[in-house]
Amino acid sequence: MATEYGQGYRSHGTVAADERTRRRLPTALRAPLEARHWREFGYVLLSLPISILLFTYAVTMVSLGAGLLITFLGVPVLAGALAGCRGFGVLERARARRLLDLDVADPEPLRMKKNGPMAWMGAVLKSGASWRHLLYAVLHLPWAVFSFVVALSFWSYGWALLTYPLWFWLFPMYGGGGGLQLYGDEHHRIYLDNPFEITVTALVGLLFTLATPWIVRALTLVDRGLVHGLLGPSRLATRVVELESDRGVVVDTAAADLRRIERDLHDGAQARLVALAMDLGLAKEKLTEDPQAAARMVGEAHGEVKTALQELRDLARGIHPAVLTDRGLDAALSSVASRCTVPVQVDVDLPARPAAAIEGIAYFTVSELLQNISKHAKATWAAVDVWRVENRLMLQVVDNGVGGADASGGSGLAGLAGRLDAVDGILVVDSPAGGPTRITAELPWRG
Protein backbone atom coordinates (compact mmCIF):
# COMPACT_ATOMS: atom_id res chain seq x y z
CA MET A 1 0.00 0.00 0.00
CA ALA A 2 2.83 2.38 0.90
CA THR A 3 4.61 1.61 -2.37
CA GLU A 4 1.48 2.27 -4.41
CA TYR A 5 0.92 5.52 -2.53
CA GLY A 6 4.52 6.58 -3.16
CA GLN A 7 4.25 5.78 -6.85
CA GLY A 8 1.04 7.73 -7.09
CA TYR A 9 2.60 10.66 -5.29
CA ARG A 10 5.63 10.64 -7.61
CA SER A 11 3.35 10.36 -10.64
CA HIS A 12 1.28 13.29 -9.43
CA GLY A 13 4.45 15.29 -8.81
CA THR A 14 5.72 14.51 -12.31
CA VAL A 15 2.45 15.63 -13.88
CA ALA A 16 2.49 18.81 -11.82
CA ALA A 17 6.09 19.49 -12.83
CA ASP A 18 5.26 18.94 -16.50
CA GLU A 19 2.31 21.31 -16.12
CA ARG A 20 4.53 23.97 -14.56
CA THR A 21 7.11 23.51 -17.32
CA ARG A 22 4.44 23.84 -19.97
CA ARG A 23 3.08 27.00 -18.37
CA ARG A 24 6.55 28.55 -18.35
CA LEU A 25 6.45 28.56 -22.16
CA PRO A 26 5.06 31.75 -23.74
CA THR A 27 1.49 31.52 -24.93
CA ALA A 28 2.51 31.87 -28.58
CA LEU A 29 4.86 28.87 -28.33
CA ARG A 30 2.51 26.51 -26.53
CA ALA A 31 -0.63 27.44 -28.51
CA PRO A 32 -0.01 24.87 -31.33
CA LEU A 33 0.22 22.10 -28.72
CA GLU A 34 -2.77 23.04 -26.57
CA ALA A 35 -5.91 20.94 -26.56
CA ARG A 36 -8.01 24.00 -27.35
CA HIS A 37 -6.25 24.47 -30.69
CA TRP A 38 -6.80 20.86 -31.70
CA ARG A 39 -10.47 21.00 -30.70
CA GLU A 40 -11.00 24.15 -32.76
CA PHE A 41 -9.05 22.70 -35.68
CA GLY A 42 -11.15 19.54 -35.49
CA TYR A 43 -14.30 21.67 -35.48
CA VAL A 44 -13.21 23.42 -38.68
CA LEU A 45 -12.36 20.13 -40.40
CA LEU A 46 -15.70 18.57 -39.43
CA SER A 47 -17.63 21.62 -40.55
CA LEU A 48 -17.09 20.94 -44.25
CA PRO A 49 -18.65 17.46 -44.54
CA ILE A 50 -21.43 18.32 -42.09
CA SER A 51 -22.21 21.57 -43.93
CA ILE A 52 -22.28 19.79 -47.30
CA LEU A 53 -24.76 17.26 -45.93
CA LEU A 54 -26.87 19.93 -44.23
CA PHE A 55 -26.86 22.25 -47.27
CA THR A 56 -27.78 19.42 -49.62
CA TYR A 57 -30.63 18.28 -47.38
CA ALA A 58 -32.00 21.79 -46.81
CA VAL A 59 -31.89 22.92 -50.44
CA THR A 60 -33.31 19.64 -51.76
CA MET A 61 -36.16 19.41 -49.28
CA VAL A 62 -37.11 23.09 -49.41
CA SER A 63 -37.03 23.09 -53.21
CA LEU A 64 -39.18 19.96 -53.28
CA GLY A 65 -41.61 21.44 -50.78
CA ALA A 66 -41.82 24.75 -52.64
CA GLY A 67 -42.41 22.93 -55.92
CA LEU A 68 -45.21 20.88 -54.38
CA LEU A 69 -46.98 23.85 -52.79
CA ILE A 70 -49.43 23.82 -55.70
CA THR A 71 -50.68 20.65 -54.06
CA PHE A 72 -51.24 19.93 -50.39
CA LEU A 73 -48.14 17.72 -50.30
CA GLY A 74 -45.89 20.79 -50.32
CA VAL A 75 -46.89 21.83 -46.80
CA PRO A 76 -45.84 18.64 -44.96
CA VAL A 77 -42.67 18.37 -47.06
CA LEU A 78 -41.69 21.95 -46.21
CA ALA A 79 -42.52 21.41 -42.54
CA GLY A 80 -40.44 18.23 -42.55
CA ALA A 81 -37.53 20.11 -44.14
CA LEU A 82 -37.61 22.73 -41.39
CA ALA A 83 -37.96 20.08 -38.69
CA GLY A 84 -34.91 18.29 -40.12
CA CYS A 85 -32.93 21.53 -40.01
CA ARG A 86 -33.88 21.88 -36.35
CA GLY A 87 -32.59 18.35 -35.79
CA PHE A 88 -29.27 19.29 -37.40
CA GLY A 89 -29.26 22.31 -35.08
CA VAL A 90 -29.19 19.97 -32.08
CA LEU A 91 -26.08 18.31 -33.54
CA GLU A 92 -24.39 21.64 -34.23
CA ARG A 93 -25.05 22.98 -30.74
CA ALA A 94 -23.63 19.79 -29.23
CA ARG A 95 -20.57 20.01 -31.50
CA ALA A 96 -20.00 23.66 -30.55
CA ARG A 97 -20.42 22.80 -26.88
CA ARG A 98 -17.89 19.97 -27.06
CA LEU A 99 -15.25 21.49 -29.33
CA LEU A 100 -15.64 25.26 -28.89
CA ASP A 101 -16.81 25.38 -25.26
CA LEU A 102 -19.80 27.38 -26.50
CA ASP A 103 -22.92 26.62 -24.49
CA VAL A 104 -25.94 27.75 -26.51
CA ALA A 105 -29.39 27.15 -25.09
CA ASP A 106 -32.03 25.35 -27.12
CA PRO A 107 -34.34 27.61 -29.13
CA GLU A 108 -37.86 28.29 -28.00
CA PRO A 109 -40.07 25.18 -28.33
CA LEU A 110 -42.90 24.88 -30.78
CA ARG A 111 -46.13 26.44 -29.52
CA MET A 112 -49.11 24.35 -30.54
CA LYS A 113 -52.61 25.35 -29.47
CA LYS A 114 -53.94 21.91 -30.41
CA ASN A 115 -52.58 18.42 -30.88
CA GLY A 116 -52.32 16.72 -34.23
CA PRO A 117 -50.24 16.81 -37.41
CA MET A 118 -51.88 19.95 -38.79
CA ALA A 119 -51.16 21.89 -35.62
CA TRP A 120 -47.57 20.59 -35.62
CA MET A 121 -46.97 21.64 -39.23
CA GLY A 122 -48.41 25.07 -38.56
CA ALA A 123 -46.22 25.51 -35.49
CA VAL A 124 -43.08 24.50 -37.40
CA LEU A 125 -43.82 26.86 -40.28
CA LYS A 126 -44.67 29.76 -37.95
CA SER A 127 -41.61 29.31 -35.73
CA GLY A 128 -38.87 31.85 -36.35
CA ALA A 129 -36.33 29.38 -34.95
CA SER A 130 -37.13 26.94 -37.78
CA TRP A 131 -36.35 29.52 -40.45
CA ARG A 132 -33.18 30.59 -38.64
CA HIS A 133 -32.01 26.97 -38.73
CA LEU A 134 -32.69 26.91 -42.48
CA LEU A 135 -30.72 30.13 -42.91
CA TYR A 136 -27.84 28.56 -40.97
CA ALA A 137 -27.87 25.53 -43.28
CA VAL A 138 -27.57 27.78 -46.33
CA LEU A 139 -25.00 30.27 -45.01
CA HIS A 140 -22.67 27.87 -43.26
CA LEU A 141 -21.54 25.95 -46.35
CA PRO A 142 -19.58 28.77 -48.07
CA TRP A 143 -18.03 29.75 -44.77
CA ALA A 144 -17.16 26.13 -43.99
CA VAL A 145 -15.42 25.79 -47.37
CA PHE A 146 -13.41 28.96 -46.81
CA SER A 147 -12.41 28.15 -43.23
CA PHE A 148 -11.54 24.53 -44.16
CA VAL A 149 -9.22 25.63 -46.97
CA VAL A 150 -7.52 28.37 -44.94
CA ALA A 151 -7.06 26.31 -41.76
CA LEU A 152 -5.86 23.16 -43.51
CA SER A 153 -3.49 25.13 -45.78
CA PHE A 154 -1.82 26.96 -42.91
CA TRP A 155 -1.61 23.83 -40.79
CA SER A 156 -0.21 21.56 -43.52
CA TYR A 157 2.26 24.10 -44.93
CA GLY A 158 3.40 25.07 -41.45
CA TRP A 159 4.18 21.57 -40.23
CA ALA A 160 5.58 20.49 -43.62
CA LEU A 161 8.05 23.39 -43.71
CA LEU A 162 8.88 23.12 -40.01
CA THR A 163 9.85 19.46 -40.39
CA TYR A 164 11.63 20.00 -43.73
CA PRO A 165 15.08 19.30 -42.22
CA LEU A 166 13.85 15.81 -41.33
CA TRP A 167 12.63 14.76 -44.78
CA PHE A 168 14.41 16.92 -47.43
CA TRP A 169 16.76 13.94 -48.13
CA LEU A 170 13.85 12.23 -49.89
CA PHE A 171 14.24 14.54 -52.93
CA PRO A 172 17.80 13.64 -53.95
CA MET A 173 17.23 9.99 -53.13
CA TYR A 174 13.80 9.44 -54.72
CA GLY A 175 12.71 12.67 -56.44
CA GLY A 176 15.61 13.39 -58.73
CA GLY A 177 16.11 16.90 -57.31
CA GLY A 178 18.15 18.64 -54.64
CA GLY A 179 15.17 19.52 -52.50
CA LEU A 180 12.03 21.67 -52.64
CA GLN A 181 12.05 23.62 -55.87
CA LEU A 182 11.69 27.31 -55.11
CA TYR A 183 11.97 28.46 -58.76
CA GLY A 184 12.45 26.78 -62.09
CA ASP A 185 12.32 27.39 -65.84
CA GLU A 186 13.85 25.80 -68.97
CA HIS A 187 17.36 27.00 -68.14
CA HIS A 188 17.61 27.45 -64.39
CA ARG A 189 16.23 25.88 -61.18
CA ILE A 190 16.58 26.86 -57.54
CA TYR A 191 16.33 24.19 -54.84
CA LEU A 192 16.23 24.56 -51.08
CA ASP A 193 19.11 22.19 -50.48
CA ASN A 194 21.92 23.86 -48.48
CA PRO A 195 21.94 24.16 -44.63
CA PHE A 196 21.11 27.88 -44.65
CA GLU A 197 18.10 27.49 -46.95
CA ILE A 198 16.88 24.46 -45.02
CA THR A 199 17.11 26.42 -41.76
CA VAL A 200 15.24 29.40 -43.22
CA THR A 201 12.56 27.07 -44.55
CA ALA A 202 12.11 25.55 -41.11
CA LEU A 203 11.87 29.03 -39.54
CA VAL A 204 9.19 30.03 -42.04
CA GLY A 205 7.35 26.82 -41.18
CA LEU A 206 7.67 27.72 -37.49
CA LEU A 207 6.03 31.10 -38.15
CA PHE A 208 3.20 29.40 -40.04
CA THR A 209 2.78 26.84 -37.25
CA LEU A 210 2.69 29.49 -34.52
CA ALA A 211 0.20 31.60 -36.49
CA THR A 212 -2.14 28.70 -37.28
CA PRO A 213 -3.86 28.49 -33.83
CA TRP A 214 -4.72 32.19 -33.89
CA ILE A 215 -5.98 32.01 -37.47
CA VAL A 216 -8.13 28.99 -36.60
CA ARG A 217 -9.40 30.79 -33.50
CA ALA A 218 -10.36 33.81 -35.61
CA LEU A 219 -12.20 31.54 -38.05
CA THR A 220 -14.13 29.85 -35.26
CA LEU A 221 -15.26 33.24 -33.96
CA VAL A 222 -17.51 33.45 -37.02
CA ASP A 223 -18.79 29.93 -36.31
CA ARG A 224 -19.55 30.98 -32.74
CA GLY A 225 -21.54 33.92 -34.02
CA LEU A 226 -23.50 31.79 -36.48
CA VAL A 227 -24.34 29.13 -33.89
CA HIS A 228 -25.24 31.63 -31.20
CA GLY A 229 -27.23 33.93 -33.48
CA LEU A 230 -29.09 31.40 -35.63
CA LEU A 231 -29.32 28.17 -33.62
CA GLY A 232 -30.04 29.59 -30.17
CA PRO A 233 -33.13 31.25 -28.75
CA SER A 234 -34.06 34.67 -30.04
CA ARG A 235 -33.54 37.72 -27.89
CA LEU A 236 -37.28 38.11 -27.52
CA ALA A 237 -37.71 34.53 -26.32
CA THR A 238 -34.79 34.91 -23.91
CA ARG A 239 -36.30 38.08 -22.55
CA VAL A 240 -39.68 36.38 -22.08
CA VAL A 241 -38.01 33.58 -20.09
CA GLU A 242 -36.20 36.16 -17.95
CA LEU A 243 -39.43 38.04 -17.29
CA GLU A 244 -41.23 34.83 -16.36
CA SER A 245 -38.43 33.97 -13.94
CA ASP A 246 -38.44 37.49 -12.51
CA ARG A 247 -42.21 37.35 -12.08
CA GLY A 248 -41.79 34.17 -10.08
CA VAL A 249 -39.20 35.88 -7.88
CA VAL A 250 -41.55 38.81 -7.29
CA VAL A 251 -44.44 36.51 -6.38
CA ASP A 252 -42.27 34.47 -4.01
CA THR A 253 -40.90 37.63 -2.40
CA ALA A 254 -44.37 39.08 -1.92
CA ALA A 255 -45.59 35.80 -0.37
CA ALA A 256 -42.58 35.71 1.97
CA ASP A 257 -43.21 39.30 3.04
CA LEU A 258 -46.87 38.53 3.66
CA ARG A 259 -45.95 35.53 5.82
CA ARG A 260 -43.45 37.67 7.73
CA ILE A 261 -46.08 40.34 8.41
CA GLU A 262 -48.60 37.74 9.53
CA ARG A 263 -46.01 36.13 11.82
CA ASP A 264 -44.98 39.46 13.32
CA LEU A 265 -48.60 40.41 13.95
CA HIS A 266 -49.44 37.03 15.47
CA ASP A 267 -46.33 36.69 17.64
CA GLY A 268 -45.94 40.37 18.52
CA ALA A 269 -48.70 42.93 18.66
CA GLN A 270 -51.60 40.45 18.60
CA ALA A 271 -50.22 38.40 21.50
CA ARG A 272 -49.50 41.57 23.44
CA LEU A 273 -53.02 42.91 22.86
CA VAL A 274 -54.55 39.60 24.03
CA ALA A 275 -52.51 39.78 27.24
CA LEU A 276 -53.55 43.43 27.60
CA ALA A 277 -57.23 42.50 27.34
CA MET A 278 -56.80 39.83 30.01
CA ASP A 279 -54.99 42.26 32.34
CA LEU A 280 -57.71 44.87 31.92
CA GLY A 281 -60.36 42.25 32.65
CA LEU A 282 -58.59 41.29 35.89
CA ALA A 283 -58.21 44.97 36.81
CA LYS A 284 -61.93 45.51 36.24
CA GLU A 285 -62.76 42.65 38.62
CA LYS A 286 -60.43 44.03 41.31
CA LEU A 287 -61.61 47.62 40.90
CA THR A 288 -64.09 47.42 43.79
CA GLU A 289 -62.25 44.87 45.96
CA ASP A 290 -58.67 46.20 45.74
CA PRO A 291 -58.45 49.61 44.01
CA GLN A 292 -54.68 49.86 44.51
CA ALA A 293 -54.02 46.52 42.82
CA ALA A 294 -56.41 47.49 40.04
CA ALA A 295 -54.59 50.79 39.55
CA ARG A 296 -51.24 48.96 39.42
CA MET A 297 -52.60 46.55 36.79
CA VAL A 298 -53.99 49.44 34.73
CA GLY A 299 -50.57 51.08 34.84
CA GLU A 300 -48.94 47.89 33.60
CA ALA A 301 -51.55 47.65 30.87
CA HIS A 302 -50.75 51.23 29.86
CA GLY A 303 -47.12 50.23 29.39
CA GLU A 304 -48.19 47.24 27.32
CA VAL A 305 -50.24 49.55 25.10
CA LYS A 306 -47.19 51.73 24.45
CA THR A 307 -45.10 48.67 23.61
CA ALA A 308 -47.78 47.33 21.27
CA LEU A 309 -48.06 50.68 19.53
CA GLN A 310 -44.28 50.79 19.03
CA GLU A 311 -44.29 47.29 17.55
CA LEU A 312 -47.09 48.28 15.18
CA ARG A 313 -45.14 51.39 14.14
CA ASP A 314 -42.04 49.27 13.46
CA LEU A 315 -44.13 46.82 11.47
CA ALA A 316 -45.72 49.61 9.45
CA ARG A 317 -42.28 51.09 8.82
CA GLY A 318 -41.17 47.71 7.51
CA ILE A 319 -44.11 47.59 5.10
CA HIS A 320 -43.75 51.13 3.75
CA PRO A 321 -42.60 54.00 5.95
CA ALA A 322 -44.66 57.15 5.94
CA VAL A 323 -41.54 59.31 5.77
CA LEU A 324 -40.63 57.73 2.43
CA THR A 325 -44.01 58.61 0.97
CA ASP A 326 -44.03 62.13 2.40
CA ARG A 327 -40.43 63.28 2.09
CA GLY A 328 -38.59 60.88 -0.24
CA LEU A 329 -35.40 58.84 -0.11
CA ASP A 330 -33.16 61.41 1.58
CA ALA A 331 -35.25 61.68 4.73
CA ALA A 332 -36.20 57.99 4.76
CA LEU A 333 -32.60 56.78 4.46
CA SER A 334 -31.47 59.27 7.09
CA SER A 335 -34.09 57.78 9.41
CA VAL A 336 -32.81 54.26 8.71
CA ALA A 337 -29.21 55.36 9.23
CA SER A 338 -30.07 56.85 12.62
CA ARG A 339 -31.16 53.40 13.84
CA CYS A 340 -27.94 51.70 12.67
CA THR A 341 -25.47 50.64 15.37
CA VAL A 342 -22.58 52.47 13.66
CA PRO A 343 -22.35 56.08 12.44
CA VAL A 344 -23.64 56.31 8.86
CA GLN A 345 -23.08 59.18 6.44
CA VAL A 346 -25.95 59.53 3.96
CA ASP A 347 -25.56 61.45 0.69
CA VAL A 348 -28.55 61.51 -1.67
CA ASP A 349 -28.09 63.48 -4.90
CA LEU A 350 -31.18 63.08 -7.07
CA PRO A 351 -32.67 65.66 -9.44
CA ALA A 352 -36.17 64.35 -8.79
CA ARG A 353 -37.97 61.51 -7.06
CA PRO A 354 -38.13 58.17 -8.90
CA ALA A 355 -41.29 56.14 -9.28
CA ALA A 356 -42.79 54.93 -6.03
CA ALA A 357 -42.00 51.26 -6.76
CA ILE A 358 -38.33 52.00 -7.53
CA GLU A 359 -38.10 54.31 -4.54
CA GLY A 360 -39.47 51.59 -2.27
CA ILE A 361 -37.03 48.98 -3.58
CA ALA A 362 -34.12 51.38 -3.13
CA TYR A 363 -35.22 52.11 0.45
CA PHE A 364 -35.54 48.45 1.43
CA THR A 365 -32.23 47.60 -0.28
CA VAL A 366 -30.31 50.17 1.75
CA SER A 367 -32.26 49.25 4.89
CA GLU A 368 -31.34 45.57 4.58
CA LEU A 369 -27.69 46.37 3.85
CA LEU A 370 -27.49 48.59 6.93
CA GLN A 371 -29.07 45.82 9.00
CA ASN A 372 -26.35 43.47 7.76
CA ILE A 373 -23.72 46.01 8.82
CA SER A 374 -25.26 46.22 12.29
CA LYS A 375 -25.39 42.45 12.70
CA HIS A 376 -22.33 41.08 10.93
CA ALA A 377 -19.82 43.69 9.73
CA LYS A 378 -18.18 44.72 13.04
CA ALA A 379 -17.66 48.12 11.43
CA THR A 380 -17.03 51.50 13.04
CA TRP A 381 -18.46 53.62 10.24
CA ALA A 382 -20.52 53.30 7.06
CA ALA A 383 -21.61 55.49 4.17
CA VAL A 384 -24.61 55.49 1.86
CA ASP A 385 -24.51 57.25 -1.52
CA VAL A 386 -27.47 57.57 -3.88
CA TRP A 387 -27.26 59.23 -7.29
CA ARG A 388 -28.55 59.02 -10.82
CA VAL A 389 -26.56 58.15 -13.95
CA GLU A 390 -28.57 58.61 -17.15
CA ASN A 391 -31.45 56.12 -16.83
CA ARG A 392 -30.10 54.25 -13.80
CA LEU A 393 -30.54 54.84 -10.08
CA MET A 394 -27.28 54.02 -8.30
CA LEU A 395 -26.96 52.96 -4.66
CA GLN A 396 -23.70 52.33 -2.85
CA VAL A 397 -23.19 51.20 0.75
CA VAL A 398 -19.64 51.11 2.13
CA ASP A 399 -18.35 50.02 5.53
CA ASN A 400 -14.95 49.36 7.12
CA GLY A 401 -15.94 46.04 8.66
CA VAL A 402 -14.36 42.61 8.48
CA GLY A 403 -15.54 41.93 4.91
CA GLY A 404 -16.20 38.47 3.55
CA ALA A 405 -19.75 39.21 2.37
CA ASP A 406 -20.86 36.76 -0.32
CA ALA A 407 -23.92 37.04 -2.54
CA SER A 408 -23.78 33.37 -3.59
CA GLY A 409 -25.63 30.53 -1.95
CA GLY A 410 -28.62 31.10 0.24
CA SER A 411 -27.46 34.29 1.96
CA GLY A 412 -29.59 37.37 2.42
CA LEU A 413 -27.54 39.12 -0.24
CA ALA A 414 -28.57 36.41 -2.73
CA GLY A 415 -32.22 37.11 -1.99
CA LEU A 416 -31.60 40.83 -2.33
CA ALA A 417 -29.88 40.28 -5.68
CA GLY A 418 -32.86 38.23 -6.87
CA ARG A 419 -35.26 40.96 -5.81
CA LEU A 420 -33.27 43.57 -7.74
CA ASP A 421 -33.00 41.30 -10.77
CA ALA A 422 -36.79 41.09 -10.87
CA VAL A 423 -36.90 44.78 -11.86
CA ASP A 424 -33.81 44.70 -14.15
CA GLY A 425 -31.54 45.73 -11.31
CA ILE A 426 -27.99 44.60 -10.51
CA LEU A 427 -26.22 43.97 -7.22
CA VAL A 428 -22.39 43.98 -7.18
CA VAL A 429 -20.58 42.90 -4.00
CA ASP A 430 -16.92 43.78 -3.42
CA SER A 431 -16.02 42.44 0.03
CA PRO A 432 -12.53 40.97 0.40
CA ALA A 433 -11.62 39.25 3.64
CA GLY A 434 -10.56 41.90 6.13
CA GLY A 435 -12.67 44.56 4.44
CA PRO A 436 -13.70 47.08 3.44
CA THR A 437 -17.03 46.10 1.94
CA ARG A 438 -18.49 48.00 -0.99
CA ILE A 439 -21.93 46.96 -2.27
CA THR A 440 -23.31 48.71 -5.34
CA ALA A 441 -26.86 48.37 -6.60
CA GLU A 442 -28.31 49.60 -9.88
CA LEU A 443 -32.00 50.12 -10.50
CA PRO A 444 -33.78 51.38 -13.61
CA TRP A 445 -34.80 55.02 -13.30
CA ARG A 446 -38.52 55.49 -13.75
CA GLY A 447 -39.86 58.92 -13.01
Side-chain angles (χ1 to χ4, degrees):
M1 180 64 70
T3 303
E4 293 177 358
Y5 179 81
Q7 290 174 350
Y9 181 80
R10 286 193 297 272
S11 176
H12 177 75
T14 303
V15 172
D18 293 342
E19 181 68 16
R20 288 193 298 269
T21 302
R22 186 183 67 84
R23 289 188 177 276
R24 289 195 189 100
L25 293 174
T27 303
L29 294 180
R30 68 171 185 262
L33 305 176
E34 287 183 334
R36 176 179 177 178
H37 164 59
W38 292 103
R39 289 197 304 269
E40 292 174 341
F41 186 61
Y43 183 91
V44 172
L45 295 184
L46 287 174
S47 290
L48 182 60
I50 293 176
S51 295
I52 292 174
L53 179 62
L54 179 55
F55 181 87
T56 303
Y57 167 83
V59 171
T60 302
M61 293 296 293
V62 171
S63 300
L64 179 61
L68 293 175
L69 281 179
I70 57 174
T71 67
F72 180 74
L73 293 177
V75 175
V77 172
L78 191 57
L82 295 178
C85 290
R86 291 177 70 108
F88 273 103
V90 175
L91 171 64
E92 289 294 271
R93 286 192 296 273
R95 190 164 66 97
R97 187 179 303 112
R98 179 67 182 87
L99 299 178
L100 299 182
D101 291 330
L102 178 64
D103 192 5
V104 178
D106 295 337
E108 56 273 20
L110 299 177
R111 299 184 179 272
M112 295 186 296
K113 297 180 179 179
K114 301 179 181 179
N115 295 325
M118 294 298 297
W120 177 82
M121 287 187 289
V124 171
L125 294 174
K126 292 178 182 178
S127 173
S130 302
W131 295 100
R132 291 199 305 273
H133 280 68
L134 176 62
L135 183 61
Y136 176 87
V138 175
L139 293 180
H140 195 252
L141 177 61
W143 174 251
V145 173
F146 173 79
S147 59
F148 180 90
V149 171
V150 171
L152 188 61
S153 297
F154 270 87
W155 184 87
S156 57
Y157 278 112
W159 284 102
L161 296 178
L162 179 61
T163 59
Y164 182 61
L166 302 178
W167 55 272
F168 80 96
W169 54 270
L170 294 173
F171 287 94
M173 183 171 293
Y174 300 105
L180 282 177
Q181 183 175 322
L182 186 62
Y183 172 79
D185 55 23
E186 296 179 357
H187 308 287
H188 185 63
R189 291 181 176 85
I190 299 177
Y191 294 100
L192 302 174
D193 54 1
N194 63 59
F196 174 76
E197 293 173 345
I198 293 173
T199 303
V200 171
T201 302
L203 291 177
V204 172
L206 178 62
L207 294 178
F208 271 72
T209 303
L210 295 178
T212 299
W214 308 104
I215 294 173
V216 172
R217 192 163 301 173
L219 293 173
T220 56
L221 285 177
V222 179
D223 290 283
R224 292 171 182 270
L226 289 173
V227 173
H228 188 274
L230 298 178
L231 301 185
S234 64
R235 293 185 178 180
L236 178 60
T238 303
R239 183 58 179 159
V240 169
V241 173
E242 291 177 354
L243 291 176
E244 289 177 349
S245 176
D246 293 344
R247 182 180 62 183
V249 172
V250 171
V251 172
D252 293 341
T253 302
D257 290 340
L258 180 60
R259 288 192 299 269
R260 177 183 58 82
I261 294 171
E262 292 174 345
R263 183 178 63 252
D264 291 344
L265 284 173
H266 182 272
D267 298 340
Q270 180 180 346
R272 197 172 296 278
L273 290 174
V274 170
L276 175 62
M278 295 175 63
D279 291 342
L280 289 175
L282 293 174
K284 181 180 178 181
E285 293 178 356
K286 290 183 176 293
L287 186 60
T288 56
E289 300 176 0
D290 189 356
Q292 293 182 353
R296 186 176 63 254
M297 296 177 69
V298 170
E300 294 175 353
H302 184 257
E304 290 290 325
V305 169
K306 291 182 178 180
T307 304
L309 286 175
Q310 184 60 41
E311 289 182 353
L312 288 174
R313 289 193 191 99
D314 294 340
L315 182 60
R317 188 183 296 113
I319 298 173
H320 195 84
V323 66
L324 179 62
T325 303
D326 298 337
R327 300 173 57 189
L329 272 176
D330 195 354
L333 294 182
S334 297
S335 176
V336 172
S338 66
R339 299 193 299 271
C340 189
T341 58
V342 300
V344 181
Q345 179 182 353
V346 178
D347 184 11
V348 178
D349 183 15
L350 296 177
R353 293 183 63 174
I358 300 299
E359 195 174 52
I361 293 174
Y363 170 82
F364 288 113
T365 299
V366 175
S367 178
E368 187 165 342
L369 292 176
L370 290 180
Q371 288 181 13
N372 289 341
I373 292 175
S374 298
K375 295 178 181 178
H376 311 294
K378 299 179 182 179
T380 58
W381 66 267
V384 176
D385 293 319
V386 182
W387 72 98
R388 178 184 176 182
V389 177
E390 296 180 353
N391 62 340
R392 306 291 286 182
L393 175 63
M394 308 294 296
L395 314 171
Q396 191 172 85
V397 179
V398 183
D399 68 78
N400 65 340
V402 296
D406 187 8
S408 62
S411 65
L413 289 177
L416 190 59
R419 185 176 298 187
L420 292 178
D421 185 63
V423 292
D424 288 339
I426 302 172
L427 184 73
V428 179
V429 179
D430 180 15
S431 182
T437 296
R438 184 183 304 272
I439 299 179
T440 306
E442 290 187 21
L443 288 167
W445 178 272
R446 296 170 189 165

